[in-house]
Amino acid sequence: MHGLGTIINVCCIVGGGVIGLLGRRLITQKLQDALIQACGLAVLFLGIGGAMEKMLAVVAASDGGAVLSSGGTMMILISLALGAAIGEAIDLDARFEQLGVWLRAKTGSEGDAGFVNGFVTATLTVCIGAMAIVGAIQDGITGDYTTLMLKGAIDAVIICAMAASMGKGAIFAALPVGVWQGLVTVACIPLQPLMTTAALNNLGLVGSILIFCVGANLIWPKTFKPANMLPAVFIAAALAFVM
């Protein structure tokens, strides 16, 4: 069944968030702060691991041995620079916040000061990774939902910690995840010829860097605006056909 992976992913996010929210009452403010930092550290290394996987490769050396080589630096620079410029012009960060404010009003959570921050942070963490794109494409083309099922398990743990420390706004990240991955799944069939290995690698690399930015913001608030850099992932995929 096409789309089953996204449904599983959304259910995992909601389930993990509810567990975290229920357990929040037993958690002190000091422990909530520790959870935010721990979650930020985990997201940092999730981003670093994804980026290094795409950047580093073992190549043959002239002496017959093997050396570690890195690549993609110019692509990263161009993608992030252009993406940030486009994102700042559109101000996607403000759009995400507006969506969070709208959801807060619609859910009767006006008194929850951390709702918007929890929603925006959680959404950026679970929406922009390589697993979201690649998994949704696999689900749409072959019906294989294995990647999204694994992503759902990871997201459940992350959202559980975020809901415990940042409140119920984190649970509503399930909405943009469902919409985004669902759209990719539906659109992937006509776009299949464009989803080359190089395009997916570029997309995964830049997406992982943005995940790193989200993790950095959890530890050092307002260091980056990852929402405003989101266009970089599409530029990175397009550059695969140029560079």
Side-chain angles (χ1 to χ4, degrees):
M1 173 183 171
H2 296 288
L4 182 60
T6 294
I7 295 173
I8 293 173
N9 196 171
V10 168
C11 291
C12 286
I13 290 174
V14 173
V18 170
I19 292 172
L21 198 61
L22 292 176
R24 188 185 191 193
R25 300 177 182 180
L26 306 175
I27 300 174
T28 63
Q29 183 60 49
K30 185 177 180 180
L31 184 53
Q32 288 181 25
D33 293 339
L35 279 174
I36 290 178
Q37 289 193 326
C39 195
L41 189 61
V43 175
L44 274 176
F45 276 92
L46 186 65
I48 291 172
M52 292 298 98
E53 181 184 1
K54 303 299 182 184
M55 288 187 71
L56 300 179
V58 178
V59 298
S62 56
D63 59 0
V67 296
L68 195 62
S69 176
S70 65
T73 306
M74 186 58 65
M75 183 277 297
I76 293 171
L77 177 61
I78 295 173
S79 298
L80 290 178
L82 289 179
I86 295 171
E88 285 290 338
I90 304 173
D91 202 359
L92 291 173
D93 189 70
R95 301 288 185 269
F96 270 104
E97 289 193 5
Q98 289 170 2
L99 178 58
V101 170
W102 181 80
L103 284 172
R104 183 175 62 184
K106 291 298 181 181
T107 56
S109 305
E110 286 86 350
D112 187 350
F115 185 97
V116 176
N117 184 47
F119 168 74
V120 173
T121 302
T123 297
L124 292 175
T125 302
V126 298
C127 254
I128 63 178
M131 291 181 77
I133 305 295
V134 175
I137 291 172
Q138 291 174 337
D139 194 6
I141 295 176
T142 67
D144 180 7
Y145 56 85
T146 306
T147 300
L148 288 184
M149 188 166 61
L150 176 60
K151 177 180 177 291
I154 296 172
D155 290 350
V157 175
I158 292 174
I159 298 300
C160 180
M162 285 188 172
S165 57
M166 306 174 76
K168 64 182 178 182
I171 302 176
F172 286 89
L175 295 178
V177 166
V179 172
W180 169 238
Q181 291 180 183
L183 288 175
V184 172
T185 297
V186 170
C188 69
I189 296 178
L191 293 178
Q192 183 179 1
L194 300 178
M195 293 300 149
T196 63
T197 300
L200 290 175
N201 284 341
N202 283 4
L203 189 149
L205 172 53
V206 174
S208 294
I209 292 173
L210 297 189
I211 288 179
F212 173 89
C213 294
V214 173
N217 279 353
L218 287 172
I219 301 175
W220 306 284
K222 299 182 179 179
T223 303
F224 299 102
K225 288 185 176 180
N228 280 359
M229 291 188 279
L230 279 175
V233 297
F234 301 103
I235 294 172
L239 287 176
F241 301 96
V242 179
M243 299 178 64

